[in-house]
Amino acid sequence: MTTDDKLKQVVSAVLRVPADQIDDGTSPDTIEAWTSLAHLDLILAIEDEFGVTIPDEEVGDLTSFRLLKLTLDEQAAAA
Amino acid sequence: MNVSLRTGSESPALTVVRDPNASLSALMAAVDRLEAHGVDEAGPMRVAVSANITTELFSTFMRRHALLAGRTARVEHGSYDDHLENVRRFAEQRVDHLVLVNFFDNLMPSFEARLHALDPDLLAAQRERVRGELRLALAAARDVPAVYVALFHRLTPTAPTEQSAALDAVVESFNDALREACAEHRNVTVLAMDEVAAAVGHADSFNPRYYHRFKAPYTARFWDELARRLVLVSRAGGSRYPKALVLDCDNTLWGGVIGEDLIGGIKLSPDAYPGNVYWQAQAEFLNLQRSGVLLCLATKNEPADVEAVLADHPHQLIRDRHVVVKRANWGDKVDSLVGIAHELNIGLDSLVFVDDSEFECASVRERLPMVTTFTVPKNPYDYPALAREVCDLFLAGRPAGGNGSEKTEQYRIRAQAVELEESHATREEYLASLGLAVELRRNPHDAVTRIAQLTQKSNQFNLTTHRYTEAEIADLIDSPTATVYTLGVSDRFGDSGLTGVAIVRYGGVQAQVDTFLMSCRVLGRGVELSPWATIVADARARGAYTLTAEWRRTARNDQVERFFDDLGLECVSGGDDARRYTAGLKGLAFPVPTHIEVNSQ
C-alpha cells in the first residue's frame, strides 16, 4: 500500500469520511469533523501508524491532506 | 448483544478490537464497524466525562472495552474545566456513568512546580475550592447511577528526595479532600489513576508534548487501561452480575489428571512449581467463595476420584463444604453447566466457567455464549494472573453490604432441597414437609441496601424491573404514599434471608403494584403468593378501592408474564411487551398457600 493510500485510510478512520472522498485539498475547511480536537487524534494516529514523530513545530500547522503527506515524505527521505 | 462478538467466527473488525497492539486508526475504524453492525439490547452505556484536561482520546478506548464486554458505549465530553455546568447538563441528560477527572498539575498553571513556593494559605484555599466544587458536582450528580472520581496523582515521577516526599504529601492531602467528598455519596467510586499509570508504566502514561501543547496529558495506552478498568468496575455497564464460578478440576483446580496421576501424583503443593500455581489459584477462588460467590465443579472424572481429593488431599484448599454443586461425570460440559444453572435457579449468564481444555471452552463459547468462559493458560506460571482477572470480574464494583457471605449456604440449602423434592411422592407432600415460613416486613429501614441490590440484580422473577438506587428506596420507605414490603424466607433447611420485595404506591383510591420481585433461590415453592393477602388488607385499610399491577417485558422475565393472570387479576390491556391489570379490592381475596406460615410486621 502506498503512503498516500495508507494516509487516506488513517484520515478516513479518524475523521469518519470515506477514503475515496479524500484528496490533496482535504482540510478542516472541507471536512466538518476535522476540528482542533480531532486534529490531535489525527496526529497521534498518523504517528502510530507510520512509526514517526511529527516535529513539534509542525503539529499545529499540518492542516491539509497535502501537508500531512509532504511531512511524511520528508520524514521518509530523512530516514 | 452482538452474537458475532461471542462466537467462534470472528470478524476482522473484532480481531482488531481484541488486538492490544492494533494501531489507533485501525482501532477507530474497527470500533465504528462493529458498533454499526452490532445490536446492544440494553441500549448503549451512556458515559460522560468532565475534566480539566483534554480527554477526547478516551472515547475510542471506552467504546473498545464496552464492545469486548458485549456492550456498546456512547461517550460525551463536557466543556473544558467546567465541572458544575457539565454535571448539571449530564445529569439532565440522564447519563448512566459520569467520570470526573481533575489533573493535579493543571489545577493551577504548573501547579506541581510551584507547590514548594506557594503560600500554605493559598494551598489550603485551593484544596477547599477543589473539595467544595466536587461536593456541589456530586450533589448535582445524585441521580446519576454511577459516578467515578479520579484521584489526583503527580505528573513527575517520585524521587528519593525530601522535596519529592513533600509533594507526595500535598497530593495525598488533596486526595483526602476528594475521598471525604466522595464518601458522602453511595453512587460514587474513586478511580486510582496512579495505579493505572503504574500498570501502564509512568513513561508510557504521559505525553509531555500533548500535555504542554494541548492540555492532553494521557497517552492512548493510559486511556486504554483506564477504560478496561472502568468497564470491569461497572460490570459492563451494570448489565452483568456473575454469581457462580464453575471450575474444571484436572489442570484447573490442580495440576495433572486425577484419573491417571492419582491422588499422590497431582500437583498441588504450595512449595513446588507448578503445584504452587494451582494452590494459589485455589486460594483466590476460595476468597471469592468467602465473599459470596458460589463455587461449582464441572469435571469429566469419576465422582469418587474428585471426592477423594476434596476430602483427603493435604494441600487441597477448596473442600466439599465450599462447593455448592458438583458435576463429575463423562457427559457434555455444556449439559453440566445447564444443569448447574438449573439446580441453582440462576441464569446461564450468571455463570463464569474456567477450564484448561481449548476444546471444552470453545464448545461452551459456541453453544452457551452467555456464559463467561476463561481458558487456563498453557504455561502454568500465567495462571495466577488469569485467576486474578476472574476474581476482578466478580469483585469489581460489587456493592458492599448485604449478606453475600451467607449465599453459599443459602444456595446449598436450595440444592439440597431440589434433591429432597425428587424423593417425595407428590409435590404437595414435599412442600408440606419444608416448614416454610415467610417474614413479611413493611418499610424496613435497615434493609435499604439489600432492597436496592435486589431491584438492581433481579431479572427473572421481576414483574416490572424498575431499578432503584439506595437513595430512592430510602425515599420510598419514608414516603406516605408508598409501602415497601420485604419477604424473608426460611424453612427447615435454613434461612434464605431477605429474598423478595414488593413496592406498592398509593394515589387516590388506587393502590398500584410498582415492583414485585423474588430472588430465584426461593422460587418454586409458592412463596411468591404469600404477601398478597397482606398487601390487599393494607390497601383496603388505606381506603383504596382498586389494585392495579403491571408486567413489563425484559429480556429475562418471560417466566412471570402470566403471574398476575395466575393470581386471578383481570388483564385490562395486554400486548407483547406489557400487560396491565386491575381489580376491585372489595371482595378480592388471595389465599395464602397452606404450606406457608406468614408473619407480618
Side-chain angles (χ1 to χ4, degrees):
Chain A
M1 195 187 292
T2 65
T3 302
D4 190 83
D5 288 341
K6 204 162 145 187
L7 184 58
K8 275 183 183 162
Q9 225 172 50
V10 175
V11 174
S12 160
V14 177
L15 302 178
R16 295 171 165 173
V17 284
D20 58 13
Q21 286 177 24
I22 296 168
D23 56 28
D24 277 2
T26 297
S27 75
D29 294 334
T30 63
I31 297 181
E32 207 180 326
W34 195 333
T35 61
S36 55
L37 286 172
H39 187 69
L40 305 189
D41 286 354
L42 184 59
I43 297 294
L44 276 183
I46 290 169
E47 290 184 336
D48 187 27
E49 190 67 46
F50 290 89
V52 296
T53 302
I54 291 173
D56 188 39
E57 62 277 13
E58 292 181 21
V59 167
D61 301 330
L62 300 176
T63 49
S64 75
F65 183 79
R66 193 176 63 84
L67 289 171
L68 288 170
K69 203 170 59 178
L70 272 177
T71 300
L72 284 175
D73 288 344
E74 279 169 21
Q75 295 252 337
Chain B
M1 74 165 237
N2 208 326
V3 173
S4 66
L5 279 182
R6 297 287 194 84
T7 60
S9 53
E10 278 205 5
S11 71
L14 179 57
T15 307
V16 172
V17 167
R18 276 195 210 284
D19 178 6
N21 298 314
S23 73
L24 182 57
S25 60
L27 179 63
M28 286 172 159
V31 165
D32 275 350
R33 257 201 307 282
L34 277 186
E35 284 181 352
H37 292 109
V39 180
D40 188 344
E41 282 167 7
M45 298 166 60
R46 298 187 59 208
V47 183
V49 187
S50 176
N52 72 340
I53 49 169
T54 304
T55 57
E56 268 65 11
L57 193 54
F58 169 65
S59 302
T60 299
F61 296 100
M62 189 66 205
R63 289 160 63 206
R64 168 180 190 223
H65 287 285
L67 283 166
L68 291 176
R71 300 289 311 275
T72 58
R74 201 159 68 212
V75 186
E76 263 196 85
H77 299 267
S79 306
Y80 177 84
D81 201 12
D82 191 1
H83 294 302
L84 295 183
E85 174 55 23
N86 289 339
V87 171
R88 189 199 60 73
R89 182 162 59 86
F90 291 141
E92 203 175 275
Q93 292 169 359
R94 306 185 72 86
V95 299
D96 308 308
H97 303 266
L98 174 62
V99 185
L100 295 174
V101 180
N102 261 329
F103 194 72
F104 188 73
D105 188 57
N106 207 33
L107 286 175
M108 292 170 72
S110 300
F111 195 36
E112 268 191 45
R114 295 166 57 203
L115 272 185
H116 299 297
L118 276 185
D119 180 342
D121 289 344
L122 185 64
L123 195 62
Q126 183 68 350
R127 188 167 46 226
E128 287 317 303
R129 183 189 73 80
V130 167
R131 188 207 308 266
E133 190 182 75
L134 181 62
R135 273 204 162 125
L136 287 173
L138 294 181
R142 177 174 183 271
D143 293 327
V144 175
V147 179
Y148 303 93
V149 174
L151 289 178
F152 290 120
H153 61 84
R154 294 174 49 170
L155 171 66
T156 52
T158 299
T161 63
E162 264 181 47
Q163 272 211 340
S164 182
L167 191 54
D168 283 338
V170 173
V171 173
E172 211 31 53
S173 74
F174 272 68
N175 277 335
D176 286 342
L178 291 190
R179 287 195 192 93
E180 272 173 40
C182 292
E184 294 166 17
H185 299 271
R186 284 175 163 155
N187 59 339
V188 178
T189 307
V190 293
L191 293 173
M193 305 291 261
D194 59 338
E195 283 179 19
V196 179
V200 173
H202 190 272
D204 288 332
S205 294
F206 302 105
N207 182 338
R209 175 175 59 150
Y210 265 52
Y211 176 47
H212 294 295
R213 190 175 261 283
F214 306 116
K215 301 286 186 207
Y218 294 123
T219 60
R221 288 196 54 197
F222 179 93
W223 287 124
D224 192 23
E225 176 62 17
L226 180 70
R228 189 185 76 80
R229 290 174 183 222
L230 257 180
V231 170
L232 197 67
V233 167
S234 74
R235 295 167 169 277
S239 64
R240 231 181 262 167
Y241 276 96
K243 293 172 184 157
L245 175 63
V246 185
L247 298 162
D248 173 42
C249 289
D250 293 332
N251 290 315
T252 299
L253 213 49
W254 51 74
V257 177
I258 183 66
E260 294 166 12
D261 301 323
L262 307 181
I263 194 161
I266 58 171
K267 306 279 187 258
L268 198 54
S269 162
D271 303 317
Y273 183 81
N276 56 353
V277 163
Y278 296 97
W279 191 79
Q280 186 182 333
Q282 285 207 18
E284 297 269 21
F285 298 147
L286 200 54
N287 282 337
L288 282 183
Q289 189 273 339
R290 289 199 187 97
S291 64
V293 171
L294 306 166
L295 290 187
C296 307
L297 302 182
T299 174
K300 289 186 177 172
N301 265 314
E302 289 301 332
D305 288 346
V306 175
E307 298 292 349
V309 178
L310 293 189
D312 302 328
H313 197 286
H315 298 309
Q316 178 72 18
L317 293 176
I318 296 176
R319 298 291 183 183
D320 191 60
R321 65 179 180 280
H322 303 122
V323 179
V324 192
V325 180
K326 288 189 292 278
R327 294 273 159 144
N329 55 47
W330 298 97
D332 201 330
K333 285 271 164 96
V334 167
D335 293 339
S336 289
L337 288 168
V338 170
I340 286 169
H342 172 72
E343 198 158 328
L344 295 174
N345 211 357
I346 60 180
L348 278 159
D349 58 355
S350 298
L351 298 186
V352 175
F353 174 55
V354 182
D355 198 304
D356 67 303
S357 155
E358 290 281 6
F359 169 79
E360 301 285 9
C361 290
S363 157
V364 171
R365 283 195 191 99
E366 181 67 34
R367 292 165 60 197
L368 302 176
M370 65 296 276
V371 174
T372 307
T373 299
F374 289 91
T375 310
V376 177
K378 291 225 167 344
N379 295 316
Y381 53 76
D382 288 327
Y383 191 19
L386 180 103
R388 195 62 251 156
E389 206 171 311
V390 171
C391 292
D392 285 347
L393 182 72
F394 280 98
L395 297 179
R398 180 169 282 251
N403 51 4
S405 54
E406 296 157 22
K407 278 208 187 111
T408 295
E409 200 43 39
Q410 290 165 356
Y411 277 89
R412 176 197 287 281
I413 287 164
R414 194 193 142 80
Q416 280 174 2
V418 168
E419 238 172 71
L420 183 77
E421 184 171 359
E422 283 156 10
S423 72
H424 273 87
T426 68
R427 185 176 159 72
E428 286 66 31
E429 246 180 61
Y430 161 72
L431 287 174
S433 75
L434 285 177
L436 267 174
V438 170
E439 185 192 42
L440 190 61
R441 298 177 69 199
R442 298 178 184 87
N443 298 322
H445 282 95
D446 55 358
V448 168
T449 301
R450 173 72 179 149
I451 296 169
Q453 215 179 62
L454 278 171
T455 70
Q456 295 288 338
K457 289 168 67 170
S458 300
N459 293 312
Q460 298 184 49
F461 196 108
N462 195 336
L463 275 298
T464 50
T465 320
H466 295 307
R467 308 293 195 195
Y468 287 116
T469 62
E470 289 184 31
E472 287 167 334
I473 293 295
D475 286 349
L476 281 167
I477 282 180
D478 290 334
S479 165
T481 58
T483 304
V484 178
Y485 297 89
T486 60
L487 281 81
V489 181
S490 61
D491 60 28
R492 69 184 176 87
F493 297 104
D495 190 342
S496 290
L498 199 171
T499 46
V501 175
I503 299 172
V504 180
R505 293 178 190 262
Y506 300 98
V509 294
Q510 192 169 304
Q512 178 218 344
V513 181
D514 171 280
T515 292
F516 184 54
L517 63 88
M518 301 284 301
S519 160
C520 291
R521 60 177 188 254
V522 294
L523 288 184
R525 296 183 281 171
V527 173
E528 59 275 19
L529 305 174
S530 65
W532 296 99
T534 306
I535 288 173
V536 164
D538 286 358
R540 269 198 212 109
R542 278 172 169 262
Y545 288 158
T546 56
L547 182 74
T548 62
E550 191 185 11
W551 166 82
R552 285 155 50 132
R553 181 185 297 284
T554 65
R556 306 269 308 276
N557 70 347
D558 283 354
Q559 66 165 285
V560 290
E561 182 172 350
R562 298 280 164 174
F563 176 76
F564 287 123
D565 297 85
D566 296 341
L567 205 59
L569 297 188
E570 186 190 344
C571 180
V572 289
S573 71
D576 283 348
D577 293 325
R579 298 172 66 78
R580 292 192 178 74
Y581 300 84
T582 190
L585 282 168
K586 196 177 171 200
L588 186 64
F590 295 119
V592 177
T594 51
H595 63 275
I596 300 176
E597 180 192 330
V598 181
N599 304 302
S600 55
Q601 41 176 283

